Amino acid sequence: GFNPGSTGAMHDAATAYVAAIAAVNTTLSPCIAGGVVFTLRAKVLPPKMKDVGAFCNGILAGLVSITAGCASVKHWEAIVIGAIGGCVYCGASMLVEK
């Protein structure tokens, strides 16, 4: 993806490590965001139905949330960022629907 590639090069172990961190965090955050959105839509928010479109938008929200700091945050922070991004998407989506 573009996040690990933004290191510019992987000519030594340090830049390869940064690219790896960016790749892992860019994967973790959207996974969690999609899961949060899917769970909220299916179990908590009315009309409590499984919404694949919202799930995909949650994944996008997780990608948007992590992009700026993907190489500079720890893995657990990427998970928290993804969860917050999923919640923000759900809230914004509910406001737009009203």
Side-chain angles (χ1 to χ4, degrees), residues 57-93:
N57 285 333
I59 292 171
L60 288 174
L63 285 168
V64 169
S65 300
I66 197 62
T67 295
C70 65
S72 59
V73 298
K74 294 176 176 57
H75 302 319
W76 69 268
E77 293 169 328
I79 291 169
V80 171
I81 289 168
I84 292 170
C87 291
V88 167
Y89 162 73
C90 277
S93 175

Side-chain angles (χ1 to χ4, degrees), residues 3-89:
N3 285 338
S6 65
T7 58
M10 288 193 277
H11 57 277
D12 60 4
T15 54
Y17 179 77
V18 171
I21 293 294
V24 169
N25 287 343
T26 303
T27 304
L28 282 174
S29 182
C31 288
I32 296 300
V36 165
V37 169
F38 188 80
T39 302
L40 286 174
R41 294 281 183 151
K43 302 288 184 186
V44 178
L45 302 173
K48 294 186 182 176
M49 57 186 262
K50 297 174 182 155
D51 188 355
V52 176
F55 173 68
C56 292
N57 285 333
I59 292 171
L60 288 174
L63 285 168
V64 169
S65 300
I66 197 62
T67 295
C70 65
S72 59
V73 298
K74 294 176 176 57
H75 302 319
W76 69 268
E77 293 169 328
I79 291 169
V80 171
I81 289 168
I84 292 170
C87 291
V88 167
Y89 162 73

